[in-house]
């Protein structure tokens, strides 16, 4: 898991495991194309379209997703949508299934920060439960597995909650304006189209060629 600081007080979270999966997809695709060229020659390249699809999915599903924390808003870079949630719109941060930003009207999960499975909680250590933002803790100082510092959702939640808390305490966020704040959602139609085209081309290469 990685936390990448950027200029302008911006922090970007991407899971290291997701980057690894992306490189695996690209490696498999590159190896397959190379073997095809060596064994069958350039004339067989159309049959490698499914490998190109695998490489594209590696970027779309594993490399691209991120949680970007700024002083003005949180951006969720999901595979097909980019969601900008202003701090004024945020009413709760949940980690039950993934880092989820909850507003008065809707919930927005982060593809980049899934909650852990059953093993995530079992591998927790005492230090993973300490020093978390105050809003993390439930009754009796309880902590969800998805809030632990050793999990993807937990690391991303710490970034979001810490910045949120600091902005509230400094007076830069005015409580009670959540109903008026607007969440911007942009659909990546190019990525949608690329997925459909590559999926159709892969079907043609495998079954119809």
């Amino acid at each position: 898991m990685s936390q990448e600081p950027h200029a302008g007080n911006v922090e970007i979270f991407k899971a290291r495991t997701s980057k690894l999966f992306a490189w695996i997809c690209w490696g498999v695709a590159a190896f397959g194309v190379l073997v095809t060229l060596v064994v069958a020659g350039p004339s067989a390249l159309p049959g490698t379209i499914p490998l190109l699809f695998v490489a594209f999915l590696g970027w779309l599903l594993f490399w691209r997703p991120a949680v970007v924390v700024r002083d003005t808003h949180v951006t969720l870079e999901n595979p097909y949508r980019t969601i900008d949630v202003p701090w004024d719109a945020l009413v709760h941060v949940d980690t039950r299934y993934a880092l989820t930003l909850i507003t008065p009207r809707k919930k927005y999960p982060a593809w980049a920060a899934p909650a852990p499975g059953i093993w995530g909680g079992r591998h927790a250590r005492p230090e993973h439960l300490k020093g978390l933002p105050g809003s993390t803790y439930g009754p009796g100082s309880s902590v969800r597995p998805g809030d632990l510092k050793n999990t993807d959702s937990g690391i991303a939640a710490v970034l979001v909650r810490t910045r949120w808390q600091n902005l509230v305490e400094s007076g830069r966020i005015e409580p009670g304006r959540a109903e008026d704040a607007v969440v911007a959602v942009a659909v990546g139609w190019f990525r949608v189209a690329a997925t459909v085209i590559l999926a159709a081309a892969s079907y043609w290469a495998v079954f119809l060629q």
Side-chain angles (χ1 to χ4, degrees):
M1 293 162 284
S2 66
Q3 172 186 334
E4 305 172 4
H6 282 245
N9 204 20
V10 176
E11 292 175 296
I12 298 179
F13 170 82
K14 291 187 178 184
R16 291 180 184 175
T17 51
S18 294
K19 292 184 177 181
L20 175 62
F21 291 148
W23 279 109
I24 290 174
C25 290
W26 298 338
V28 168
F31 180 76
V33 171
L34 180 61
V35 169
T36 300
L37 282 173
V38 172
V39 174
S43 62
L45 282 178
T48 65
I49 293 177
L51 294 173
L52 299 180
F53 190 29
V54 169
F56 172 75
L57 291 178
W59 170 80
L60 179 71
L61 301 179
F62 300 120
W63 190 267
R64 181 182 186 278
V67 177
V68 185
V69 181
R70 299 181 174 88
D71 281 343
T72 54
H73 61 279
V74 181
T75 298
L76 305 181
E77 294 285 359
N78 289 345
Y80 296 109
R81 298 195 306 170
T82 298
I83 304 163
D84 293 326
V85 181
W87 292 111
D88 286 342
L90 191 61
V91 296
H92 184 60
V93 177
D94 188 44
T95 59
R96 183 176 182 182
Y97 302 111
L99 173 73
T100 303
L101 306 183
I102 300 178
T103 72
R105 297 181 180 85
K106 199 170 182 179
K107 301 178 181 180
Y108 300 95
W111 181 277
I118 187 173
W119 294 105
R122 293 184 179 183
H123 291 158
R125 298 177 181 177
E127 58 266 27
H128 297 150
L129 303 171
K130 298 178 181 178
L132 299 171
S135 59
T136 304
Y137 299 99
S141 297
S142 60
V143 175
R144 275 185 169 174
D147 288 324
L148 297 172
K149 288 182 179 179
N150 63 322
T151 66
D152 291 339
S153 56
I155 294 175
V158 168
L159 292 180
V160 173
R161 287 169 172 151
T162 299
R163 185 71 65 92
W164 190 20
Q165 179 176 308
N166 291 340
L167 291 171
V168 169
E169 291 177 351
S170 66
R172 297 177 65 180
I173 297 177
E174 192 174 329
R177 297 180 56 188
E179 289 287 349
D180 301 325
V182 177
V183 176
V185 180
V187 177
W189 292 112
F190 173 79
R191 298 188 295 276
V192 173
T195 301
V196 173
I197 291 170
L198 286 172
S202 297
Y203 180 85
W204 170 82
V206 173
F207 298 106
L208 303 179
Q209 187 181 12

